[in-house]
Amino acid sequence: MEKTVWVVLLVMVALLSTMPSPGKSANIFSAFGRGFEHQEEIKYTTMKLKQTEGLEERRIPAKTWVCTNQPPADDPESSQLTVFLRLFGYLDGENNKGERLPMGIPVSIEATGTQENRNLTACFFLPEKVQIDPPTPTDPTVTLLHRPSLTILTRQFGGYPNSEATWDAETDKLKTLVSSAGISIDPNLVFWNAYDPPLKFWNRRNEVWLVKT
């Protein structure tokens, strides 16, 4: 069964299906409610605007993200609900300061390696006031990851991309545009990004990021 990789959409699934295990302090209903709060977007600089179907080049600043590895599909812990709750738990107080933290956007999946041998890391962006001194996660499966400054190529698309196959298809479309523009990219690194809460049904924003070399 194919892994679902668009993490935010799982909140809707959880509401219709199951509650998290009693041991988790992160409650799925409070997590769903947080989706209606204002969420700070990572700031970036648009370097160039390619006149090719919306292709855009951006400079993404070095920032700290809170992340967790996505287990293999045959691992019983690979449930995306579990992955979401790991990250939301950190925001909801599972950190060394016991602080409830704001959630930034995008929600980002870092995919490294090839499609046949891929590692996926799910991350939440931490807003600026958290960047100054982010508390340490108390869950050992959750880590703070400092992503370096990146120059990326991207374009926006809508809908609910809820499978690796969908993200791969969008990645291939973007690679074709980038190749046509004569730009070199890292072939083994891609970021899949979602910006909207699950109950926003129209004009949704999703992006694949390819890293310029």
Side-chain angles (χ1 to χ4, degrees):
M1 183 176 180
E2 191 173 44
K3 292 178 286 186
T4 299
V5 297
W6 190 67
V7 194
V8 176
L9 184 58
L10 297 165
V11 180
M12 291 183 68
V13 176
L15 285 170
L16 297 173
S17 58
T18 183
M19 289 289 291
S21 60
K24 288 188 176 294
S25 64
N27 182 289
I28 195 64
F29 288 101
S30 62
F32 179 75
R34 296 284 293 275
F36 293 95
E37 297 176 358
H38 170 74
Q39 295 173 331
E40 180 183 322
E41 181 181 345
I42 189 170
K43 295 178 175 63
Y44 56 82
T45 303
T46 300
M47 306 290 287
K48 299 175 186 174
L49 187 62
K50 302 289 184 179
Q51 302 302 317
T52 309
E53 297 188 36
L55 183 63
E56 187 175 313
E57 182 175 324
R58 297 182 194 156
R59 188 71 170 174
I60 308 295
K63 294 294 178 182
T64 298
W65 302 62
V66 61
C67 302
T68 187
N69 285 335
Q70 179 172 303
D74 56 356
D75 188 317
E77 289 296 309
S78 67
S79 162
Q80 288 301 297
L81 176 59
T82 299
V83 170
F84 177 87
L85 287 174
R86 286 180 192 170
L87 297 176
F88 177 76
Y90 170 78
L91 300 182
D92 211 39
E94 293 179 14
N95 54 70
N96 68 332
K97 297 180 181 179
E99 291 184 359
R100 188 172 185 265
L101 306 171
M103 179 179 176
I105 52 176
V107 173
S108 183
I109 304 291
E110 179 177 339
T112 57
T114 64
Q115 291 185 17
E116 295 75 22
N117 186 22
R118 172 185 283 156
N119 182 67
L120 299 177
T121 303
C123 299
F124 285 175
F125 172 62
L126 296 177
E128 289 303 319
K129 71 176 184 179
V130 182
Q131 292 283 328
I132 298 170
D133 183 25
T136 303
T138 54
D139 183 342
T141 65
V142 177
T143 60
L144 296 175
L145 176 65
H146 185 76
R147 285 184 181 173
S149 177
L150 300 169
T151 300
I152 60 98
L153 287 306
T154 189
R155 72 183 184 98
Q156 297 183 24
F157 63 98
Y160 288 92
N162 60 357
S163 70
E164 286 188 42
T166 302
W167 283 108
D168 281 333
E170 291 294 336
T171 301
D172 289 342
K173 291 177 186 177
L174 182 59
K175 285 182 175 179
T176 298
L177 294 175
V178 170
S179 177
S180 298
I183 302 172
S184 298
I185 57 169
D186 186 333
N188 295 315
L189 177 61
V190 61
F191 298 93
W192 300 331
N193 305 280
Y195 289 80
D196 298 309
L199 288 183
K200 181 180 178 181
F201 298 114
W202 296 277
N203 300 317
R204 298 187 60 80
R205 178 184 176 188
N206 309 290
E207 295 174 348
V208 174
W209 292 354
L210 299 177
V211 179
K212 185 178 180 181
T213 56

